[in-house]
Structures are given as structure tokens and as C-alpha cells.
Amino acid sequence: MRIGGAWRALAVTAALGSLLTTLSACGGAQRGAGDSGVGKPAPTRSAAPTRSAAPVDRTRIPDVGERWQRRIPADSRQVVAVYGAGKDSPDSTVVLYTRHGSTWDPARSWPAHNGRKGWTTDHREGDNRSPVGVFTLSDAGGVLKDPGTRLPYTRSAAFAAPRWWAKSYWHDFDYVIAIDYNRVKGTPPNDPTRPRGEHEGGGIWLHMDHGSGTSACVSVSESAMEYLLRTLDPGRHPVVVMGDRADLKGSH
């Protein structure tokens, strides 16, 4: 019986060692296990050589193909990149890049939402998709007072979301930054003029998030909006590059 018990103990020990090795491979380095020596099997052969990662071209906005790269104005020094999770997804990530000399450096990033039905290169009024493209950022506003933005800022109660909307939407437009899609630059974000006609939609903004997809805008947290408002500078010619990841990477 003692011999059988010893074999069982050895089996349990071996199984535990195998489990610890698996956990370490999944995420041990991030939790500190990679430095502890726990669960590290003794090497039995030389590890296969690994290929070094391709060098990052910092003169370009990452994961944006030539089709959209060439539409970024040469004098732009600030890019708000909106990377949509998928063509039909409302989820996205916003990254602010700043240009120093010839290189683009990421400054901040935030989780975000876009149109509830995803993205389109042919936006139409009411399609609930955000337009893919490169657009300038010229004007800001909202219900709340100017938090210290360098963009022209219009404060007005007229920005307030209708109270017949769900309560989670009531603060969406406390802060907004107009995306210059089918609008007149130099006017408040809520100016209704649509130079290309009503059928192509308009009123596309960066605004505060309510936790789900939008009608066509891009939404981020209040703290993200405050940061963007305080950081975007007309003198640095800010633009937004926005779309689902697949379309942004496309070259045609």
C-alpha cells in the first residue's frame, strides 16, 4: 500500500508540474511567474531560432494602407485613428498619434464605439454606419463649459440629447468634436448645413460614450473627450482616420 501511495503522489506531482508549465506559457511572464522558476521544465534541446519582428515604419500611421495614408495632409501633426473591430461591428479603438519630425508616436489610446451597424465607404442618412475616411477636425462644442480646448468651442443647451432618449444617452453631447464629413468648417458642430445634400448624412461627431454603438458617430469616455479637447490644436492641423481595420489596411 505504501508503494502504491508513493506512485500516486508522483503522478499528482507530475500532473501539477505539467499544469504550472501550461499556465506559465499562457501568461506567466505578465504575472511574474516567468521570473520565479515555478513550472519551468528542464531544457532537453536547443530552442528553435525565432525570427525578429519586422521593423515598424514610424513615418506612417500603423495599420493604415496607402489609400488612406496619402489622404493625410502633409502639414498634419495630429491624427486621431479610429480602428474598427470589424465591418459590421460597433466596437473600436481610438489612438491619438502626434508627429515629431518625420515620425508618428502614439500618445494615448481608448476603447470606443462607432456606428451600431459598423462601417461604410458610402455613408447614407440613417444607415447607422460610420463613414470610412480621413476627415479634418475643426470645431468643438457641447452642453458643458469649454474644458480648455484650442479648437473653436460653442457651448449651448441646444446640444443636449432629447430627454425622450434612454437616460444612458443623455450626456452623449456634453462634449463633442465635429468630424468634417458633409459639413461647413468654421461653424458650430450642430450647424445643420449639408453641402453634399441630406441623403449623405451629417452631424458625425466624436462625443461621449453611452456604452454601445452610435447612429454614425465615434464615442469615447468623458476623460478621453477632455484629453482630446485639451490636446487637439488647430495649428497642428488635426485629422481623424477612421474605419474598420480591414478597410483601413486596404491599398485601393
Side-chain angles (χ1 to χ4, degrees), residues 3-250:
I3 294 174
W7 278 109
R8 283 194 295 273
L10 286 171
V12 170
T13 301
L16 179 58
S18 176
L19 175 60
L20 289 172
T21 299
T22 301
L23 290 175
S24 178
C26 290
Q30 295 173 335
R31 298 174 62 87
D35 299 326
S36 68
V38 176
K40 290 183 178 179
T44 57
R45 58 185 177 182
S46 299
T50 57
R51 281 185 283 180
S52 59
V56 177
D57 184 357
R58 293 176 58 202
T59 65
R60 300 165 64 87
I61 301 299
D63 298 318
V64 175
E66 184 60 31
R67 175 187 184 186
W68 303 116
Q69 290 277 355
R70 62 174 176 257
R71 299 192 187 188
I72 299 173
D75 59 357
S76 179
R77 296 295 182 269
Q78 292 178 320
V79 166
V80 178
V82 185
Y83 298 103
K87 182 176 179 60
D88 301 319
S89 172
D91 300 320
S92 52
T93 300
V94 166
V95 183
L96 174 63
Y97 293 95
T98 58
R99 189 173 182 179
H100 301 94
S102 61
T103 64
W104 289 101
D105 299 311
R108 293 284 185 91
S109 66
W110 306 271
H113 288 101
N114 49 265
R116 62 178 60 92
K117 290 188 177 180
W119 297 90
T120 179
T121 55
D122 186 27
H123 178 63
R124 290 291 180 264
E125 180 70 25
D127 66 8
N128 290 317
R129 292 181 179 270
S130 296
V132 177
V134 178
F135 310 101
T136 52
L137 300 170
S138 304
D139 303 280
V143 176
L144 300 180
K145 68 178 182 180
D146 183 348
T149 184
R150 296 170 182 171
L151 297 170
Y153 189 92
T154 302
R155 183 187 185 187
S156 172
F159 283 99
R163 286 306 184 256
W164 49 267
W165 287 9
K167 192 172 182 178
S168 60
Y169 291 70
W170 286 3
H171 295 285
D172 278 16
F173 312 135
D174 282 359
Y175 292 130
V176 308
I177 299 172
I179 294 172
D180 294 334
Y181 168 87
N182 198 21
R183 71 178 298 269
V184 178
K185 297 180 186 181
T187 62
N190 58 352
D191 184 289
T193 307
R194 305 286 182 261
R196 300 203 305 265
E198 296 293 327
H199 66 287
E200 291 198 25
I204 311 296
W205 300 341
L206 287 162
H207 66 68
M208 284 169 49
D209 191 63
H210 55 252
S212 60
T214 69
S215 295
C217 297
V218 174
S219 61
V220 292
S221 67
E222 180 176 3
S223 60
M225 282 300 300
E226 289 178 342
Y227 183 87
L228 289 170
L229 284 166
R230 291 168 180 161
T231 304
L232 295 178
D233 182 352
R236 305 190 77 182
H237 308 283
V239 300
V240 60
V241 179
M242 52 194 278
D244 58 281
R245 286 187 179 272
D247 207 320
L248 287 180
K249 284 184 179 180

